Amino acid sequence: VRKGFMKRAGQEAAVVSDLMTKMLLSRPDVSFRYVSNGKTEYHSPGDGQLASALHTIYGGNALKAMRQVNDHANGLMINGYVGIGENARGNRNHEFFFINGRVMQSRLLSEALETACRERVMIGKFPTCALHITIAYEAVDVNVHPNKLEVRFRDESAVYEAVLSAVLGALKEPNAFERPVEMPLTKEKPTVSFAPTVSVAQQAR
């Protein structure tokens, strides 16, 4: 019966890949290996670091361009990473929100994220993120939809403001992976060589 509803192999593989991505980002303390057609697509270290899980999925260059979020407000703890600029995507498929460890969908959270990143992504693009939000269980309702993926908050304005503020604060900070500029301790001026400039009159001679 299930086989009759199966789509093409590529489409089914995309669904599995999306599921694996969510598992990797939700549990960075667990090592996952994802093999498709005999090829290892993902193999996370399981060291408990969200940055390591993001590195496994997106690679080192993308991770270096992400901004780290670490804030708490209005009864929420918000931790994770946000990708802007070249890390932005053409849809919201790479906006991952985890509420108390579970992946959830929330239009409210997406709006807060996208509002904070509005001036840092191109029109028609969406920021990427992996944000873990810890909130009191009684402050969130997970019984909005039978698949348990959608969520509703008791105080939506407080949640919106907390996420918006956390992401804005992260975007104002320097890149978390940037190394500080090394300044020489000596008073010697660096030697700079310039190519000789030839005037038009000299060229004429």
Side-chain angles (χ1 to χ4, degrees), residues 97-109:
F97 301 99
F98 304 93
I99 312 298
N100 295 331
R102 289 183 57 185
V103 62
M104 292 290 181
Q105 295 175 356
S106 169
R107 182 177 298 178
L108 178 77
L109 297 179

Side-chain angles (χ1 to χ4, degrees), residues 7 23 25 51 58 94 119 126 134 142 170 179 188:
K7 300 178 181 178
M23 293 175 67
L25 297 178
Y58 296 110
H94 292 265
E119 297 181 358
F126 299 89
T134 304
V142 298
R179 297 182 60 185
E188 298 178 2

Side-chain angles (χ1 to χ4, degrees), residues 25 50-51 54-55 57-69 80-84 87-89 94 96 127-130 170-171 173-178:
L25 297 178
L50 180 58
L54 287 166
H55 185 280
I57 297 169
Y58 296 110
N61 290 335
L63 178 60
K64 289 179 181 179
M66 289 185 173
R67 300 299 179 91
Q68 187 173 14
V69 180
Y81 292 85
V82 172
I84 53 178
N87 279 339
R89 302 301 176 94
H94 292 265
F96 298 105
T128 61
C129 77
L171 296 180
E173 294 295 326
N175 191 311
F177 296 94
E178 284 183 354

Side-chain angles (χ1 to χ4, degrees), residues 16-30:
V16 175
S17 179
D18 179 66
L19 175 62
M20 289 301 305
T21 298
K22 293 174 180 176
M23 293 175 67
L24 277 165
L25 297 178
S26 65
R27 293 295 305 273
D29 58 320
V30 177

Side-chain angles (χ1 to χ4, degrees), residues 131-199:
L131 292 179
H132 283 257
I133 299 173
T134 304
I135 187 174
Y137 286 97
E138 61 270 17
V140 57
D141 181 11
V142 298
N143 296 312
V144 178
H145 194 273
N147 61 14
K148 305 292 184 181
L149 290 178
E150 298 182 20
V151 64
R152 182 183 294 118
F153 300 100
R154 184 175 61 186
D155 190 342
E156 294 192 344
S157 62
V159 173
Y160 180 91
E161 292 174 1
V163 174
L164 176 66
S165 176
V167 175
L168 283 174
L171 296 180
K172 292 179 181 178
E173 294 295 326
N175 191 311
F177 296 94
E178 284 183 354
R179 297 182 60 185
V181 177
E182 297 181 359
M183 300 296 293
L185 299 179
T186 61
K187 295 183 180 180
E188 298 178 2
K189 294 183 178 180
T191 302
V192 181
S193 60
F194 296 94
T197 302
V198 180
S199 66

Side-chain angles (χ1 to χ4, degrees), residues 37-63:
N37 293 324
K39 178 184 176 182
T40 299
E41 301 290 342
Y42 301 140
H43 186 196
S44 62
D47 58 2
Q49 301 297 318
L50 180 58
S52 298
L54 287 166
H55 185 280
T56 299
I57 297 169
Y58 296 110
N61 290 335
L63 178 60

